[in-house]
Coordinates of all heavy atoms in Angstrom, one line a residue:
Chain B
R56 N -47.5 46.6 14.7 CA -46.6 46.7 13.7 C -45.5 45.6 14.0 O -44.9 45.7 15.0 CB -45.9 48.0 13.5 CG -46.7 49.0 12.8 CD -46.0 50.2 12.4 NE -46.9 51.2 11.9 CZ -46.7 52.5 11.9 NH1 -45.6 53.0 12.4 NH2 -47.6 53.2 11.4
T57 N -45.3 44.7 13.1 CA -44.3 43.7 13.3 C -43.4 43.7 12.1 O -43.8 43.8 10.9 CB -44.9 42.2 13.4 OG1 -45.9 42.3 14.4 CG2 -43.9 41.2 13.7
S58 N -42.0 43.6 12.3 CA -41.1 43.5 11.2 C -40.2 42.3 11.4 O -39.8 42.1 12.6 CB -40.4 44.8 10.9 OG -39.5 44.9 12.0
L59 N -39.9 41.6 10.3 CA -38.9 40.6 10.4 C -37.8 41.0 9.5 O -38.0 41.1 8.3 CB -39.4 39.2 10.0 CG -38.5 38.0 9.9 CD1 -37.8 37.7 11.2 CD2 -39.2 36.8 9.3
R60 N -36.7 41.2 10.1 CA -35.4 41.5 9.3 C -34.7 40.2 9.0 O -34.3 39.5 10.0 CB -34.4 42.3 10.1 CG -34.5 43.8 9.9 CD -33.7 44.4 11.1 NE -32.3 44.5 10.7 CZ -31.8 45.6 10.0 NH1 -32.5 46.6 9.8 NH2 -30.6 45.6 9.7
V61 N -34.6 39.9 7.8 CA -33.8 38.7 7.4 C -32.5 39.1 6.6 O -32.5 39.8 5.7 CB -34.6 37.8 6.4 CG1 -33.8 36.4 6.1 CG2 -35.9 37.4 7.0
Q62 N -31.4 38.8 7.4 CA -30.1 39.3 6.9 C -29.2 38.0 6.8 O -28.4 37.8 7.8 CB -29.5 40.4 7.7 CG -28.6 41.2 7.0 CD -28.1 42.3 8.0 OE1 -26.9 42.5 8.2 NE2 -29.0 43.1 8.6
L63 N -29.3 37.2 5.8 CA -28.7 35.9 5.8 C -27.6 35.9 4.7 O -27.9 36.3 3.6 CB -29.6 34.8 5.6 CG -30.6 34.4 6.8 CD1 -31.5 33.4 6.4 CD2 -29.8 34.1 8.1
E64 N -26.4 35.3 5.1 CA -25.4 35.3 4.0 C -25.5 33.9 3.3 O -25.4 33.9 2.0 CB -24.0 35.3 4.8 CG -22.9 35.4 3.9 CD -21.5 35.2 4.7 OE1 -21.6 34.9 5.9 OE2 -20.4 35.5 4.1
Y65 N -26.0 32.9 4.0 CA -26.1 31.6 3.4 C -27.4 31.0 4.2 O -27.4 31.1 5.3 CB -25.1 30.6 3.6 CG -23.8 31.0 2.9 CD1 -22.6 31.5 3.5 CD2 -23.7 30.8 1.5 CE1 -21.5 31.8 2.8 CE2 -22.5 31.1 0.8 CZ -21.4 31.7 1.5 OH -20.3 31.9 0.7
F66 N -28.2 30.2 3.3 CA -29.1 29.3 4.0 C -29.3 28.0 3.3 O -29.2 28.2 2.0 CB -30.4 30.0 4.4 CG -31.3 30.4 3.3 CD1 -32.3 29.5 2.8 CD2 -31.1 31.6 2.7 CE1 -33.1 29.9 1.7 CE2 -32.1 32.0 1.7 CZ -32.9 31.2 1.2
N67 N -29.4 26.9 3.9 CA -29.5 25.7 3.1 C -31.0 25.4 2.8 O -32.0 26.0 3.4 CB -28.9 24.5 3.8 CG -29.4 24.3 5.2 OD1 -30.5 24.8 5.6 ND2 -28.8 23.3 6.0
T68 N -31.2 24.4 2.0 CA -32.6 24.0 1.6 C -33.4 23.5 2.7 O -34.7 23.6 2.8 CB -32.7 23.1 0.5 OG1 -31.9 22.0 0.7 CG2 -32.1 23.8 -0.8
S69 N -32.8 22.9 3.7 CA -33.5 22.4 4.9 C -34.0 23.5 5.7 O -35.2 23.5 6.2 CB -32.7 21.4 5.6 OG -32.7 21.6 6.9
S70 N -33.2 24.7 5.8 CA -33.7 25.9 6.4 C -34.8 26.6 5.6 O -35.7 27.2 6.3 CB -32.6 26.9 6.7 OG -31.6 26.3 7.5
S71 N -34.8 26.5 4.3 CA -35.7 27.3 3.5 C -37.2 27.0 3.8 O -38.0 27.9 3.7 CB -35.4 27.1 2.0 OG -35.6 25.9 1.6
K72 N -37.4 25.6 4.1 CA -38.8 25.3 4.4 C -39.2 25.8 5.8 O -40.3 26.3 6.0 CB -38.9 23.7 4.5 CG -38.9 23.1 3.0 CD -40.2 22.4 2.7 CE -40.2 21.9 1.3 NZ -41.5 21.3 0.9
C73 N -38.3 25.8 6.7 CA -38.5 26.4 8.0 C -38.8 27.9 8.0 O -39.7 28.4 8.7 CB -37.3 26.0 9.0 SG -37.2 24.3 9.3
I74 N -38.0 28.6 7.2 CA -38.1 30.0 7.0 C -39.5 30.3 6.4 O -40.3 31.2 6.8 CB -37.0 30.6 6.3 CG1 -35.7 30.4 6.9 CG2 -37.3 32.1 5.8 CD1 -34.4 30.7 6.1
L75 N -39.9 29.5 5.5 CA -41.3 29.6 4.9 C -42.4 29.5 6.0 O -43.3 30.2 6.0 CB -41.5 28.5 3.8 CG -42.8 28.6 3.1 CD1 -43.0 29.8 2.2 CD2 -43.1 27.3 2.3
D76 N -42.1 28.5 6.9 CA -43.1 28.4 8.0 C -43.2 29.6 8.9 O -44.2 29.9 9.4 CB -42.7 27.0 8.8 CG -43.2 25.8 8.1 OD1 -43.9 26.0 7.1 OD2 -42.9 24.7 8.6
L77 N -42.0 30.2 9.2 CA -42.0 31.4 9.9 C -42.9 32.5 9.3 O -43.7 33.1 9.8 CB -40.6 32.0 10.0 CG -39.6 31.4 11.0 CD1 -38.2 32.2 11.0 CD2 -40.1 31.4 12.4
F78 N -42.6 32.6 7.9 CA -43.4 33.6 7.2 C -45.0 33.2 7.3 O -45.8 34.2 7.3 CB -43.0 33.6 5.7 CG -41.6 34.2 5.5 CD1 -40.8 33.8 4.4 CD2 -41.1 35.1 6.4 CE1 -39.6 34.3 4.2 CE2 -39.9 35.7 6.1 CZ -39.1 35.3 5.1
K79 N -45.2 32.0 7.2 CA -46.7 31.6 7.2 C -47.3 32.0 8.5 O -48.6 32.4 8.6 CB -46.8 30.1 6.9 CG -46.7 29.8 5.5 CD -47.1 28.3 5.3 CE -47.1 28.0 3.8 NZ -46.9 26.6 3.5
K80 N -46.6 31.9 9.6 CA -47.1 32.3 11.0 C -47.3 33.8 11.0 O -48.3 34.4 11.5 CB -46.1 31.9 12.1 CG -46.0 30.4 12.2 CD -47.2 29.8 12.9 CE -47.2 28.3 13.0 NZ -48.5 27.7 13.2
L81 N -46.4 34.5 10.3 CA -46.5 36.0 10.3 C -47.7 36.4 9.3 O -48.3 37.4 9.5 CB -45.3 36.6 9.7 CG -44.0 36.7 10.6 CD1 -42.8 37.1 10.0 CD2 -44.4 37.5 11.9
E82 N -48.0 35.6 8.3 CA -49.2 35.8 7.6 C -50.5 35.9 8.4 O -51.4 36.7 8.2 CB -49.4 34.7 6.5 CG -49.0 35.0 5.1 CD -49.2 33.8 4.1 OE1 -49.5 32.7 4.6 OE2 -49.2 34.1 2.9
L83 N -50.5 35.0 9.5 CA -51.6 35.0 10.3 C -51.7 36.3 11.1 O -52.8 36.8 11.4 CB -51.5 33.8 11.4 CG -51.5 32.4 10.8 CD1 -51.3 31.4 11.9 CD2 -52.9 32.2 10.0
V84 N -50.6 36.8 11.6 CA -50.5 38.1 12.2 C -51.1 39.2 11.3 O -51.9 40.0 11.8 CB -49.1 38.4 12.7 CG1 -49.0 39.8 13.4 CG2 -48.5 37.4 13.5

Side-chain angles (χ1 to χ4, degrees):
Chain B
R56 282 188 189 156
T57 305
S58 69
L59 172 60
R60 264 169 87 90
V61 183
Q62 206 176 123
L63 293 174
E64 190 186 8
Y65 292 108
F66 65 94
N67 60 6
T68 51
S69 133
S70 299
S71 64
K72 287 238 173 189
C73 295
I74 293 169
L75 180 72
D76 281 353
L77 283 183
F78 290 152
K79 282 190 175 158
K80 293 290 177 199
L81 286 174
E82 258 182 345
L83 296 177
V84 176

